């Protein structure tokens, strides 16, 4: 059995650790600045495919990413919201407006149920969260402003 590392085609590469050629990065004009974090690698891979380029997974050594955040059963933190907002943003950016709207409604409904089940919003109010589902760029911009105040 041959167990030497190989390249395998992949639709998306996780952003924890990946390599992209400078040529490919220039062709797609780098990362989309509308994403603060979470989901930007999906957008990058999608745009690579749109230019006829490909992504691949190497089966050799790997990196283990330890998540260092609190994990309380009934706590909704900024990560939970940002991941969902960027899923919606991805759909909006790639002309899936109806799908983005439906996903915004579904997330809003889901978080409304969570509110009634006693979940606590750690970083944002419930009203802010719902508004971000319908305008996810605002959430990303709020994080950028925290890091780079004007």
């Amino acid at each position: 059995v041959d167990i030497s590392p190989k390249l395998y085609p992949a639709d998306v590469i996780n952003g924890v650790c990946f390599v992209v050629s400078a040529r490919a990065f220039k062709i797609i004009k780098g990362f989309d600045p509308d994403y603060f974090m979470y989901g930007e690698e999906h957008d990058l891979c999608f745009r690579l495919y749109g230019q006829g380029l490909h992504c691949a997974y190497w089966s050799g050594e790997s990196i283990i990413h330890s998540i260092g955040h609190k994990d309380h059963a009934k706590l909704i933190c900024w990560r939970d919201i940002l991941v969902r907002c960027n899923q919606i943003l991805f759909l909006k950016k790639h002309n899936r407006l109806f799908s983005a709207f439906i996903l915004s409604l579904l997330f809003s409904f889901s978080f409304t149920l969570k509110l009634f089940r006693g979940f606590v919003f750690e970083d944002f109010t419930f009203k802010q969260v719902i508004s971000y589902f319908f305008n996810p760029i605002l959430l990303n911009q709020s994080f950028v402003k925290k890091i780079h105040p004007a």
Side-chain angles (χ1 to χ4, degrees):
V1 176
D2 182 13
I3 57 170
S4 59
K6 294 184 174 78
L7 282 176
Y8 296 97
D11 291 333
V12 175
I13 304 299
N14 189 299
V16 171
C17 180
F18 68 89
V19 177
V20 62
S21 73
R23 178 183 145 293
F25 202 69
K26 286 178 186 173
I27 288 171
I28 61 166
K29 297 178 178 68
F31 285 108
D32 184 328
D34 287 338
Y35 293 91
F36 172 69
M37 72 166 70
Y38 300 121
E40 69 280 7
E41 68 271 42
H42 298 116
D43 179 75
L44 185 119
C45 292
F46 186 85
R47 291 184 293 120
L48 284 170
Y49 277 106
Q51 292 295 319
L53 302 168
H54 300 280
C55 298
Y57 163 76
W58 182 59
S59 65
E61 295 294 321
S62 64
I63 291 182
I64 297 172
H65 182 245
S66 296
I67 298 174
H69 64 86
K70 299 176 262 181
D71 188 23
H72 299 291
K74 292 213 172 208
L75 184 65
I76 299 172
C77 72
W78 64 269
R79 284 179 188 87
D80 302 318
I81 299 160
L82 189 57
V83 166
R84 286 163 181 84
C85 281
N86 283 342
Q87 291 169 340
I88 295 164
L89 180 58
F90 178 87
L91 292 171
K92 283 184 169 191
K93 287 192 155 285
H94 298 289
N95 296 316
R96 310 294 196 280
L97 298 178
F98 183 72
S99 296
F101 178 72
I102 295 300
L103 193 57
S104 299
L105 289 174
L106 289 172
F107 286 155
S108 297
F109 181 71
S110 168
F111 275 57
T112 300
L113 291 177
K114 288 181 182 206
L115 180 69
F116 287 116
R117 292 187 59 221
F119 282 73
V120 175
F121 292 84
E122 182 178 43
D123 303 295
F124 302 101
T125 66
F126 173 72
K127 185 178 177 181
Q128 286 174 310
V129 170
I130 301 304
S131 70
Y132 289 144
F133 287 153
F134 291 91
N135 195 348
I137 288 178
L138 286 179
L139 178 59
N140 284 279
Q141 289 171 346
S142 75
F143 283 107
V144 171
K145 285 179 186 172
K146 285 181 184 180
I147 293 172
H148 302 290

